[in-house]
Amino acid sequence: MKKWSSAWAGLALSYGSIVIVIVLLICSFFYIYFSRSYNEELRNKNQLILENTARTIEGTVLKRVQQMYVDLSLNKSANIRLFADQEDRNELNQVVDLQELLKAKVAANTDIVQGIHLYYPARNIMLSSLYGLRYKADQSEGSVYYADWLQEMRTSKHNSLWTPVRHIPKDIFSSQTSENTNGLFTYAHSYPFRSTGETSDVIIAIDVKEEAVNAIIENMMPSQYQHTVIVNAAGNAVSRLQEQSAGQSDMYTASLKRTLELGHAKGSFDEKIGDAPYVVSYQTLPSTQWMIYSATPSSYYYEQSIMIQKLILGICLIALLIGLILSAVLVRANYSPIKRLVGRIKDLSGTASHQVTNEFRLIDNAFLHLKEQVNHLEETVHANSAAVRHKAVLNLLQGNPEHRPWKEERAALGIARQYKEYCCMLMNTGSAIAESGTSKQPEAIAKLMHGLECLSLQDSRLIAEELPDKRFAVILCTDVASEALLDKFAELLLAETRQQLQPDIQLSTGCWVKDLRDIHQSFNEAQALMKYAYLLPELHILKDHSLLQREHSLDEIPQTLLAKFRDKLQSRQLDEAVSTIEQVVELMREGEFPADYCHFILSNMVFIYSDAAKNVRYKHPLQFGHPDLYHEYTNLHDILAYRNWLTASITTFIEETENRNSDRAVSTIELAKQYIEANLSEDLSLEAVGSKVFLSPKYLSKLFKEEMGVTYTDYVTSRRMEQAKLLIENNNMTIDRVASSVGYGTTAYFIKRFKEMYGCTPGNYVRNLSSAAISEAGS
């Protein structure tokens, strides 16, 4: 039986404690986090269902009803203005045709529409698909069932309204009361379109079945159906999805008031209704500004998460059991080598195997003794190790040499004697080493350093060392310093480095110094020059120290160039954007701007491009395996590669964006046509219509030519002439008034365009119509 102080007991206790603590922590975390997350997910799902329900009601009922009004107002098969244009000359067949049109429209939409009515305020006449032709419509039998929209529209300053739901008997002419009623709400709109209710010639009213809306909500929100109601902006119920008692209806009053006071189009919040907590969700219907209000008991969400909580607890218990079993296995596996090690130590130290000794203390004492011997050995090995040499070179380049005798410093660097002149050269080989492959990096570096150190040089010595940033620093030690000698060594270094790595290598040289301990000054100059290798990739050797003056320059790239680049990207003007990139690159290569400032401007251009792409949700193809443009930019080795990369990238971006936008051209043309049709008397210039459909005038003109096969101007002219022809045929209007009604400021220009279109002047056209009418009457 093992002692409690033994290694076995310690391991067992440690592993068991760790497993229990970790599993308990994980259990608590998952229990709290996933339970809450699941509840929140259910609430978000409920809100999403409400949004989808509102969108479905909007698209399949409300928008569809509004489209029916548009279809009726534009229909040419029957005269909607029948009683507005004529006195007592109405022919029965015209009335029948118009009523048949209304009945046909109702039959085509019987799933949502109960009836369609045309009311003529000036003559108090109503023609209905349900009730036929009714004179003195507001006083006739059954008028109480449609008096709400009729009275309100006759005095309305607006052109449309939606009424709350009202219950109407299926037979409004019956004198007997009936419980068999239909829930209807009405969409009423004036005609012409731009007139108000009190100035309209005709009021078109469409009765919509309440059950069409209720069916959508019941199908899409079955669990919330019993707690859902539709209210208007004043908080009054427009359509209640189920009949509720007065007490049950009043319990939602405070919550409804709070919802309306928030003033948001949609949202969700917790509310205590009665004595129970509820989750209130609401969504506004854009067409009517009505609000769908839904109050769901909070217990609905928690009940669904109980299974998740039980599952998490079960998984954690299983994990605890498995962890304890693994702990036992690990204790056994880890104690075996400890037991063997203790036995070996006892054998070497002569301790009796039966003697009771703390195993950890025995191992600790053995390692302390071993450490003393290892430390002595390390002092001997490290004195000649490459690590000491590497550290010495880095200390020299950083300007903080170790405080020890100079002879020891030279010995660590492998310098047999002191030279008169020293110069540091820096080689930018980071990308080359990275491209050579990870498995070949140590071999390539070792071979390069060995080749540089073994060069046969007279009265000179090279010290090569790899820096942490994958660049190489080469210290040239010589007795005779000259620029010619420096050029010779630079070419020699480039040749050797290119042979080992790749041709795309750049080198910079620092100044000459008299003392090796001042070599950091030369290194700093070489580093500063190497910054400009990015801007001047054609220079393999950077030795022009006049470049260092750029470090102190206060010149700046004109901000107008960045603003121009942003504007051209947003307007998809590829040639101008590319031209701006070229200008910036040339300014940086030829100007006196500091290298760090140039990188700042280049990164700003990348961020501008990234923002433009994000605004249109454009995903870039990965070129270097990085998920964002900035990382791609950091992988570019020089400014010319940057220019080519950015040019190619924005070219692809603009082309793909334009292709994507072309898919929206057809729907945009339809919107423009609808606007033109409804505003023939207004300004229909390319600029005016383009602003309504959010397109530039040039692009709108191009779309009309490609999609319609005619120019924009020809299309507008043809629509205006057709409307003018209808006005001349159906109205006793002067030519001046007709010209003004279809958007022509001068009558002469209108007459000219009319003659070009129909081959005769408007006056001749009227006379021809009159002659034809007289001929028909005589016959």
Side-chain angles (χ1 to χ4, degrees), residues 674-686:
Q674 292 178 13
Y675 180 81
I676 291 169
E677 199 68 26
N679 298 274
L680 288 174
S681 62
E682 305 296 333
D683 178 18
L684 294 180
S685 63
L686 278 170

Side-chain angles (χ1 to χ4, degrees), residues 59-60 93 107 116 177 196 252 297 304 307 314 342 400-401 408 426 495 542 563 565 575 603 612 661:
T60 61
N93 59 346
I116 302 176
T177 59
T196 63
Y252 297 111
Q304 296 193 44
M307 183 58 67
V342 170
N400 54 342
E408 295 182 14
L426 190 63
L542 292 107
F565 179 69
D575 294 337
S603 63
N661 289 340

Side-chain angles (χ1 to χ4, degrees), residues 61 74 142 160 194 240 302 320 362 373 378 394 408 430 442 465 499 678 720:
V61 178
L74 297 178
S160 66
R194 299 178 64 85
R240 191 171 299 279
Y302 296 113
L320 180 61
L362 184 64
Q373 297 182 2
E378 284 181 345
L394 291 182
E408 295 182 14
E465 194 63 44
Q499 182 179 358
R720 281 176 163 166

